[in-house]
């Protein structure tokens, strides 16, 4: 819901502004003063809703990743319920929800940049938060991939999944050589197909 519309809460406005500023300036570069000015609130409002800048950063991630990983796990459960599912099915459950979120009209592209900064800035507190709260999702997918790729030992599997995740993040950022020339939905579907085809080949390689 865009800022200014009825029902758009102060908390949501702060989160939306913080996400945009963290994407643009980084976590260290964007100050709480900038957040409060852009959100048109005072510091007391930030402290009331979040308590600290660190907690605000965590909530920026939580509001996106909770939804993303719920969709991922629901999709994975649906795949697992199929008597004979394929590697491509599991990849679709991993890839599609992320690309759908990154290409929505509610700040998905800004969150991709925020996510990239989480890895680039080497913030150990933030990395621990992400691992503690969302590591189980990646482990569930790793187990599903592992069952379909028995020729890979755990170390090799994790190397390959790390590369797949990196390719997905790159695709989510939408800054590659392939420029969007069609509607968002068509572009997303083409991206999903190409990424799954590419990732499946890499995962299946000897």
């Amino acid at each position: 819901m865009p800022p200014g519309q009825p029902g758009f809460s102060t908390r949501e406005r702060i989160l939306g502004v913080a996400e945009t500023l963290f994407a643009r300036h980084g976590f260290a570069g964007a100050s709480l003063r900038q957040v409060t000015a852009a959100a048109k609130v005072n510091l007391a409002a930030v402290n009331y809703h979040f308590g600290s800048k660190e907690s605000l950063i965590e909530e920026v991630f939580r509001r996106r990743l909770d939804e993303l990983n719920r969709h991922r796990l629901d999709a994975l459960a649906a795949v697992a319920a199929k008597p004979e599912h394929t590697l491509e099915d599991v990849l679709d459950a991993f890839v599609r929800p992320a690309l759908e979120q990154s290409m929505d009209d509610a700040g998905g592209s800004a969150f991709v940049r925020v996510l990239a900064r989480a890895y680039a800035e080497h913030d150990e507190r933030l990395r621990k938060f992400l691992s503690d709260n969302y590591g189980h999702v990646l482990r569930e997918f790793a187990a599903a991939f592992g069952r379909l790729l028995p020729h890979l030992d755990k170390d090799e599997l994790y190397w390959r999944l790390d590369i797949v995740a990196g390719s997905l993040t790159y695709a989510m950022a939408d800054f590659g050589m392939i420029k969007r020339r069609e509607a968002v939905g068509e572009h997303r579907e083409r991206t999903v197909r190409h990424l799954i085809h590419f990732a499946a080949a890499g995962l299946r390689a000897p």
Side-chain angles (χ1 to χ4, degrees):
M1 184 182 300
Q5 284 194 8
F8 192 85
S9 72
T10 299
R11 186 177 190 277
E12 290 170 328
R13 187 165 72 251
I14 293 169
L15 285 170
V17 165
E19 182 178 76
T20 299
L21 290 174
F22 292 147
R24 189 176 301 155
H25 304 295
F27 305 114
S31 67
L32 282 182
R33 184 181 298 275
Q34 289 174 297
V35 172
T36 56
K40 296 181 172 56
V41 298
N42 56 34
L43 186 59
V46 176
N47 288 332
Y48 172 77
H49 287 289
F50 305 102
S52 67
K53 183 179 179 180
E54 289 74 18
S55 294
L56 172 60
I57 292 170
E58 290 175 359
E59 287 303 310
V60 165
F61 280 92
R62 197 186 297 279
R63 76 167 182 156
R64 298 286 188 186
L65 293 180
D66 281 2
E67 179 184 14
L68 168 59
N69 286 303
R70 182 172 64 254
H71 289 164
R72 275 178 161 170
L73 291 175
D74 287 347
L76 182 61
V79 167
K82 294 167 62 175
E84 294 185 10
H85 59 270
T86 66
L87 181 61
E88 284 80 3
D89 292 330
V90 179
L91 280 166
D92 190 272
F94 184 70
V95 165
R96 186 179 298 277
L99 286 169
E100 287 177 347
Q101 186 182 83
S102 71
M103 295 182 188
D104 71 16
D105 294 325
S109 60
F111 181 67
V112 174
R113 296 195 297 276
V114 171
L115 190 60
R117 286 189 179 276
Y119 294 100
E121 294 192 8
H122 303 290
D123 185 322
E124 291 305 321
R125 175 191 169 111
L126 182 54
R127 287 189 176 194
K128 185 176 188 306
F129 166 78
L130 293 173
S131 177
D132 289 350
N133 288 275
Y134 304 106
H136 69 285
V137 178
L138 296 180
R139 287 191 292 273
E140 286 200 37
F141 272 93
F145 284 122
R147 287 190 288 272
L148 294 166
L149 299 163
H151 67 290
L152 300 180
D153 62 33
K154 185 176 180 179
D155 186 61
E156 182 63 25
L157 175 64
Y158 273 73
W159 267 103
R160 297 190 191 192
L161 292 180
D162 200 45
I163 293 168
V164 170
S167 299
L168 173 58
T169 303
Y170 184 83
M172 290 166 66
D174 198 24
F175 57 68
M177 292 185 291
I178 306 299
K179 302 305 178 186
R180 189 184 305 168
R181 291 186 293 270
E182 63 264 284
V184 171
E186 291 178 59
H187 181 76
R188 182 181 61 236
E189 288 306 308
R190 290 183 69 188
T191 305
V192 168
R193 289 197 306 271
H194 279 86
L195 185 53
I196 289 175
H197 182 71
F198 178 81
L203 289 170
R204 285 194 177 105

